[in-house]
Amino acid sequence: MLNAQTKPGKTITIDALIVQALANNAELRFYEAEIEAAKGVRRTAGSWQNPQFAGEIGAKRTVGDGIDATGIAWATAFQQTFEWPGRVSLRKNI
């Protein structure tokens, strides 16, 4: 860049100015980072989700009709997403 401290005999080429402007452009770095992040989201959208497993345990007590019962109550759940043919490619394109 030309300023008061630049020596009169020193010249700088247009190509050097362009390289310097591109190297120090914060807005350009921001947009490059956003594009890379969007590519990562696209890759993530095309991957299969991990299966999910959940479990619960507790106590249960029943009182009525002369019966008094206590015991353990438990439940488990397993969930896996299955994709219809063509759905993964559609989600990648979105």
Side-chain angles (χ1 to χ4, degrees):
M1 293 188 347
L2 297 174
N3 56 27
Q5 297 175 353
T6 305
K7 297 179 183 174
K10 187 177 180 183
T11 59
I12 190 164
T13 65
I14 300 278
D15 292 335
L17 283 174
I18 292 171
V19 168
Q20 182 181 3
L22 291 176
N24 298 326
N25 190 336
E27 187 175 5
L28 181 62
R29 297 292 163 258
F30 170 78
Y31 287 121
E32 287 174 347
E34 288 293 315
I35 289 170
E36 289 301 316
K39 288 179 183 177
V41 169
R42 185 173 183 266
R43 271 186 241 118
T44 303
S47 64
W48 289 92
Q49 293 181 356
N50 291 330
Q52 298 176 359
F53 180 77
E56 296 179 20
I57 190 165
K60 183 177 183 178
R61 182 172 183 193
T62 305
V63 178
D65 294 333
I67 300 173
D68 185 8
T70 60
I72 295 176
W74 57 274
T76 59
F78 180 80
Q79 181 180 357
Q80 173 66 51
T81 303
F82 294 98
E83 300 287 350
W84 296 102
R87 173 112 192 235
V88 173
S89 60
L90 175 64
R91 196 171 59 217
K92 283 182 183 178
N93 290 331
I94 291 174

